[in-house]
Amino acid sequence: LGKSGHAVSSQFHKDGFLVLEQFFSAEECDSMKRQMQRMVAEMEVPPHCRTAFSTGEQEQLRAQGSSDYFLTSGDKIRFFFEKGVLDEKGNFLIPKEKSVSKVGHALHAYDPVFKQITHSPKVQELGRKLGLERPVVVQSMYIFKSLLAVTPHQDATFLHTEPLGRILGFWIALEDATQENGCLWFIPGSHTNGITRRMVRAASGASTCVEFVGSEPAYDDKQFIPLPISKGGLILIHGEVVHKSELNSSELSRHAFTFHVMEAKGTTWSKENWLQPTPELPFPSLYT
């Protein structure tokens, strides 16, 4: 972080991302991994994953349970599973710790280890270097990154603000992220064209809890560049930059902790976003 605020900010605004190697120490990464191990060891399987369903009506109830579990996770710590890891009774078919795809979305508020990382002096200093005046934390996730690829997307599709350009992702590698185990790929400069698609809460009574409005453009694979990063590295992600990750073709895991910040000054958070602040958890200030 030796660079001046101006250098940090201009590089970020040119590319739509910024790589800061060795931002967090190995100890800080290990403390997050250990904390998550403990949480997974103690987790309960959510009710909508447990019962054997047969009729169409019960299947619908299950889907509704699953969507409610997601939609109301903004102010809780919840576990999201890979497909096919639980039998219909909710028993694990593979080791428990390999069954979880991610944990979210309020680790930054309710877990002491992740809260400390999110609000660490280094992060607050970086926010100030980027010129953030009233940053608030909107969500956080621990991502296990098993096999699956993540298709090209823009974070603002899911976290929409008026005006755009107010969402910033902090992506922390808790283990080395390489091309083999699924590092992130970006299209440099792709954050300047706005967004073409939004995920919004569906009207009540709809069959799904969210729906997409607009269309996904076809991206040219050749435009993406990989950003491998060592354990402890931080990638800053502009809300509109196009990024993806390829499947993890290695034997190694690729754990990451990520959180999103919004510049709240002069910004409106969309009422149609899946994630909404609640009386229990208004978006907390990044600066403490």
Side-chain angles (χ1 to χ4, degrees):
L1 253 186
K3 287 186 190 161
S4 71
H6 178 70
V8 164
S9 188
S10 63
Q11 187 66 41
F12 174 68
H13 286 291
K14 176 174 152 291
D15 292 330
F17 58 82
L18 184 67
V19 177
L20 298 168
E21 286 280 6
Q22 298 179 327
F23 192 83
F24 288 99
S25 67
E27 293 76 45
E28 287 170 313
C29 293
D30 292 341
S31 74
M32 287 187 267
K33 285 174 65 179
R34 275 197 306 274
Q35 186 69 342
M36 186 47 64
Q37 259 176 332
R38 276 198 290 271
M39 289 163 83
V40 169
E42 292 164 12
M43 77 180 165
E44 297 288 318
V45 175
H48 68 267
C49 298
R50 282 189 179 283
T51 10
F53 284 93
S54 50
T55 71
E57 189 183 339
Q58 286 168 313
E59 200 48 66
Q60 271 178 327
L61 282 172
R62 180 183 198 157
Q64 188 56 48
S66 174
S67 64
D68 289 346
Y69 184 78
F70 167 70
L71 278 182
T72 57
S73 65
D75 61 353
K76 298 176 190 69
I77 295 176
R78 287 190 165 165
F79 299 88
F80 298 89
F81 297 93
E82 299 285 1
K83 284 194 171 49
V85 299
L86 295 160
D87 67 17
E88 63 279 358
K89 295 194 180 70
N91 299 316
F92 290 100
L93 297 166
I94 63 168
K96 201 173 175 181
E97 60 281 1
K98 288 209 167 92
S99 69
V100 181
S101 64
K102 64 176 195 182
V103 178
H105 288 91
L107 289 160
H108 62 280
Y110 295 129
D111 180 87
V113 173
F114 293 100
K115 185 175 189 173
Q116 191 181 356
I117 292 287
T118 303
H119 296 279
S120 61
K122 289 181 280 208
V123 169
Q124 297 191 40
E125 184 198 345
L126 180 54
R128 292 197 168 92
K129 281 195 170 175
L130 291 164
L132 300 176
E133 292 184 55
R134 279 182 40 214
V136 296
V137 187
V138 298
Q139 69 153 355
S140 53
M141 284 185 292
Y142 190 105
I143 302 170
F144 289 82
K145 181 63 185 173
S146 59
L147 300 169
L148 298 175
V150 175
T151 52
H153 67 282
Q154 298 164 288
D155 293 343
T157 288
F158 308 96
L159 309 171
H160 191 266
T161 59
E162 301 274 339
L164 282 172
R166 302 299 171 89
I167 290 290
L168 176 62
F170 290 71
W171 191 95
I172 304 157
L174 304 185
E175 301 172 316
D176 293 350
T178 64
Q179 285 195 48
E180 292 69 46
N181 76 352
C183 71
L184 299 181
W185 294 65
F186 286 79
I187 300 181
S190 58
H191 59 302
T192 56
N193 306 327
I195 57 170
T196 57
R197 195 171 72 127
R198 286 181 57 190
M199 185 174 93
V200 299
R201 285 180 171 243
S204 58
S207 57
T208 56
C209 62
V210 292
E211 57 197 10
F212 284 96
V213 180
S215 59
E216 188 60 27
Y219 295 112
D220 175 2
D221 263 354
K222 293 191 285 295
Q223 290 190 299
F224 284 91
I225 61 160
L227 290 191
I229 189 164
S230 306
K231 175 177 177 170
L234 169 70
I235 303 179
L236 277 179
I237 304 174
H238 189 285
E240 283 108 90
V241 75
V242 178
H243 58 291
K244 66 174 182 176
S245 67
E246 297 295 336
L247 54 86
N248 181 352
S249 57
S250 77
E251 294 295 300
L252 300 168
S253 57
R254 192 224 68 183
H255 291 196
F257 175 56
T258 171
F259 58 91
H260 283 90
V261 164
M262 172 178 75
E263 169 61 90
K265 187 181 177 185
T267 309
T268 310
W269 178 257
S270 172
K271 291 270 185 282
E272 296 180 299
N273 286 338
W274 75 265
L275 175 82
Q276 293 297 326
T278 62
E280 294 73 40
L281 183 61
F283 295 150
S285 169
L286 180 69
Y287 300 150
T288 48

